[in-house]
Amino acid sequence: MQPSGEQRNRPARPAPERAALARELARRVGEDSILWTDDTLLPYDVDGFTLAKFPPDLVVLPTTTAQVTDVLVFARAHGLPVTARGAGTGLAGGALAEEGGILLVTARMDRVLEVDVSNRFAVVQPGVVNAHLSERVAPHGLHYAPDPSSQMASTLGGNAATNAGGPHCLKYGQTHQHMRALTLVLADGSVVEAGSRALDPPGLNLVGVTVGSEGTFGVVTELVVGLVPRPEAVRTFLAVFDDVTSAGAAVTAIVGRGIVPAALEMLDHLTIVAVEPYVHLGLPLDAGAVLLVELDGPAAGMDRRAGEVHALCREAGARSIREAKDEAERLLLWKARKGAFGAMGRLASGFYVMDGVVPRTRLPEVLARIEQISAEQDLRIANVFHAGDGNLHPNVLYDVDDPDSVARAWRASERILEACVELGGSLSGEHGIGNEKRDLMGLAFAEDDLAAMAALRRAFDPEGRLNPRKMLPLRPGCGEGLPRPGLAAVAAGLSPDGEGPWI
Ligand SMILES: Cc1cc2nc3c(=O)[nH]c(=O)nc-3n(C[C@H](O)[C@H](O)[C@H](O)COP(=O)(O)OP(=O)(O)OC[C@H]3O[C@@H](n4cnc5c(N)ncnc54)[C@H](O)[C@@H]3O)c2cc1C
């Protein structure tokens, strides 16, 4: 996606200044761990949220907790902000070095340090790619359950920082339910061990507050993550419906029957049109929605539950139901879902992957609102959902070469999130807040709530050095709710206000 209408309000420091900082830092972490020239920094000025770009001054690639401490002590001495980054797949602009300074990339901290099969946990560095951990422990009959669709690239450190979800989190729970302990390096370089390898540790739950804090509390340098047994049996179905309302009725019926599928994912008509030419599943291009249902668990009773899912889909109006005959076909059915974002590139030159959440039963209402917003803004919007938990991903399609189209995409996103909140939901089901939704936090939280979050953040990072300008609005409100300068101002080609982070 070309960055037309993007936020880019600050150039990197001049090259000689960056070179001097790099030379000094190299004495602590080694020359080959630092990037500072314009060409080597280029891939790091953007993450998965491609509407915003901010170049860091230095990129540092440490390999150990001790090196991370060195980097943070150096940053503090030089008054530099530090932003942690895993694979940079985040869709909320969380890994952008918005105030420049050091981008601390964990890609080389990619070792699985220990696998304890009996106690079902693994000790890993933060740069381990999500899917690699499951591959590594598969011979022991185990896997790491949270499976963001980016799992082939995103890292466990990034997953922890965003409290990542994924299709199978409906049954197994999001990332926070699988984190037992974290090693965290704070802004002053001190190292905190939170949690325990054993279950239910005493003391304040520092793991709980750190997971989802988007790199604003500290840099995670080691994680102890829970592992779960691979299910004995798995059955996967793809049901085709005329419209999203009947697919939604099937979701309600399945959940209402007390069945807890491992995953319950929905794609709407426009998404089907995007993915079919890519996966060649034979999906009818006039279908209104497809529902991907996966059941897993003990083999005993699986036939009965599979039969119930079939019947409930039929009763809700499914035109056809296809069941995967083997693992290869199962992966093909999943390709339609996991490749859905990428396939959007077939429909428009730009697409903005959004993330919101509503109570599951409000999905039909939010979809009606999205249809209305799509008409108002004259933009097509394709929807992908984790339907079982009410998490929606509208993909707003726009023309990257048309600033007005970009501005309308911003407006559409803002309206959709307003609708989610009005319907009893919230601003994010899994991608986090980052830079993208920072200025919308006032929609979902009262000022006292935000002040409590800011106070907690200050307790971890009193100077606001870590990932500044992320998650919390830039200015406290003045009684009428927090101002939201970001989206509209950016769409109008203005830079966001420069008042600094609200911490
Ligand atoms: C195609 C696609 C599909 C996706 N599907 C899903 C999905 O199903 N579910 C989902 O939840 N997300 C999904 N995402 C979004 C993204 O992959 C997740 O947010 C993921 O957790 C980010 O991991 P990362 O390693 O890329 O982190 P980054 O993008 O590098 O960073 C994300 C945030 O984590 C912080 N961070 C990273 N590492 C550390 C660390 N070691 N210590 C402290 N803070 C750190 C960063 O500062 C930033 O705030 C998807 C993205 C894409 C492109």
Side-chain angles (χ1 to χ4, degrees):
M1 196 159 38
Q2 184 181 312
S4 165
E6 86 280 28
Q7 306 175 58
R8 185 200 276 278
N9 61 351
R10 180 198 47 76
R13 279 160 215 263
E17 206 179 314
R18 281 182 273 140
L21 287 167
R23 269 195 305 277
E24 196 181 332
L25 185 54
R27 281 188 230 121
R28 296 170 183 246
V29 297
E31 207 173 313
D32 66 349
S33 299
I34 303 174
L35 308 174
W36 64 271
T37 56
D38 288 342
D39 53 341
T40 54
L41 293 183
L42 200 59
Y44 295 99
D45 68 5
V46 71
D47 65 3
F49 178 58
T50 50
L51 281 157
K53 287 194 166 210
F54 295 97
D57 293 308
L58 300 177
V59 169
V60 185
L61 295 126
T63 52
T64 63
T65 298
Q67 283 191 344
V68 171
T69 292
D70 282 343
V71 173
L72 287 167
V73 168
F74 173 87
R76 192 170 188 216
H78 289 270
L80 296 170
V82 177
T83 299
R85 177 171 169 123
T89 66
L91 291 165
L96 298 171
E98 206 171 339
E99 286 196 351
I102 294 176
L103 192 67
L104 192 156
V105 179
T106 60
R108 292 183 186 167
M109 301 179 80
D110 61 353
R111 287 186 301 135
V112 176
L113 301 170
E114 187 184 335
V115 176
D116 186 327
V117 175
S118 307
N119 291 301
R120 291 190 184 157
F121 66 74
V123 184
V124 300
Q125 289 190 304
V128 171
V129 168
N130 175 304
H132 294 175
L133 177 59
S134 285
E135 281 161 21
R136 168 76 185 269
V137 300
H140 304 293
L142 297 171
H143 75 295
Y144 175 68
D147 61 337
S149 300
S150 57
Q151 70 184 141
M152 297 305 291
S154 67
T155 66
L156 293 168
N159 292 173
T162 56
N163 189 22
H168 290 82
C169 292
L170 173 64
K171 177 170 179 180
Y172 291 97
Q174 283 184 302
T175 297
H176 71 97
Q177 281 162 280
H178 301 268
M179 289 290 150
R180 294 199 191 174
L182 298 173
T183 302
L184 195 64
V185 183
L186 303 185
D188 63 0
S190 54
V191 179
V192 173
E193 305 278 352
S196 150
R197 294 175 178 211
L199 298 173
D200 200 15
L204 290 179
N205 184 355
L206 295 183
V207 176
V209 289
T210 302
V211 173
S213 62
E214 301 190 23
T216 61
F217 285 9
V219 179
V220 175
T221 58
E222 208 170 287
L223 308 91
V224 182
V225 302
L227 302 170
V228 295
R230 288 161 72 85
E232 191 185 359
V234 180
R235 302 277 286 269
T236 309
F237 314 90
L238 193 79
V240 179
F241 293 86
D242 286 335
D243 50 56
V244 285
T245 309
S246 19
V251 170
T252 305
I254 291 168
V255 177
R257 182 63 65 90
I259 299 170
V260 184
L264 201 46
E265 301 285 304
M266 201 196 297
L267 313 183
D268 76 353
H269 168 73
L270 198 49
T271 308
I272 295 167
V273 169
V275 298
E276 175 53 25
Y278 156 65
V279 291
H280 304 293
L281 267 176
L283 294 173
L285 293 180
D286 65 339
V290 295
L291 193 62
L292 185 67
V293 189
E294 188 156 282
L295 299 175
D296 74 5
M302 184 60 89
D303 283 344
R304 181 181 50 76
R305 280 183 292 145
E308 280 179 339
V309 166
H310 259 266
L312 293 168
C313 286
R314 287 273 181 222
E315 279 165 29
R319 270 192 210 180
S320 61
I321 304 172
R322 169 172 172 179
E323 179 172 354
K325 289 182 294 301
D326 50 31
E327 182 61 10
E329 192 174 354
R330 173 177 171 264
L331 293 177
L332 188 64
L333 298 188
W334 271 107
K335 197 172 165 190
R337 166 60 187 91
K338 297 215 171 186
F341 293 164
M344 292 298 150
R346 294 173 169 270
L347 299 183
S349 56
F351 60 96
Y352 175 179
V353 181
M354 292 189 57
D355 170 42
V357 66
V358 292
R360 184 173 47 231
T361 50
R362 312 297 295 267
L363 278 175
E365 284 166 86
V366 82
L367 283 173
R369 295 280 287 275
I370 291 173
E371 210 172 304
Q372 202 182 336
I373 293 163
S374 160
E376 279 165 15
Q377 301 300 330
D378 193 21
L379 291 173
R380 291 183 300 165
I381 301 178
N383 292 289
V384 179
F385 326 84
H386 303 299
D389 46 22
N391 185 191
L392 51 141
H393 295 308
N395 288 278
V396 181
L397 308 180
Y398 64 92
D399 177 354
V400 295
D401 295 320
D402 174 3
D404 181 56
S405 171
V406 178
R408 283 181 281 119
W410 280 113
R411 272 198 296 277
S413 73
E414 196 167 339
R415 300 278 176 279
I416 290 170
L417 292 171
E418 280 167 0
C420 288
V421 174
E422 277 169 35
L423 291 169
S426 198
L427 302 175
S428 170
E430 56 183 19
H431 294 170
I433 299 300
N435 153 289
E436 179 203 8
K437 297 174 192 164
R438 170 191 65 205
D439 299 312
L440 296 175
M441 285 286 273
L443 285 177
F445 296 98
E447 287 184 27
D448 286 349
D449 305 334
L450 292 168
M453 292 186 211
L456 183 58
R457 180 170 175 173
R458 273 197 303 275
F460 278 85
D461 178 17
E463 295 172 346
R465 187 172 307 290
L466 299 175
N467 214 357
R469 300 174 72 97
K470 303 291 170 57
M471 277 191 92
L472 294 179
L474 296 185
R475 296 175 298 185
C478 322
E480 77 290 359
L482 288 154
R484 291 182 274 120
L487 302 186
V490 168
L494 306 171
S495 62
D497 74 85
E499 294 196 9
W502 188 43
I503 64 157

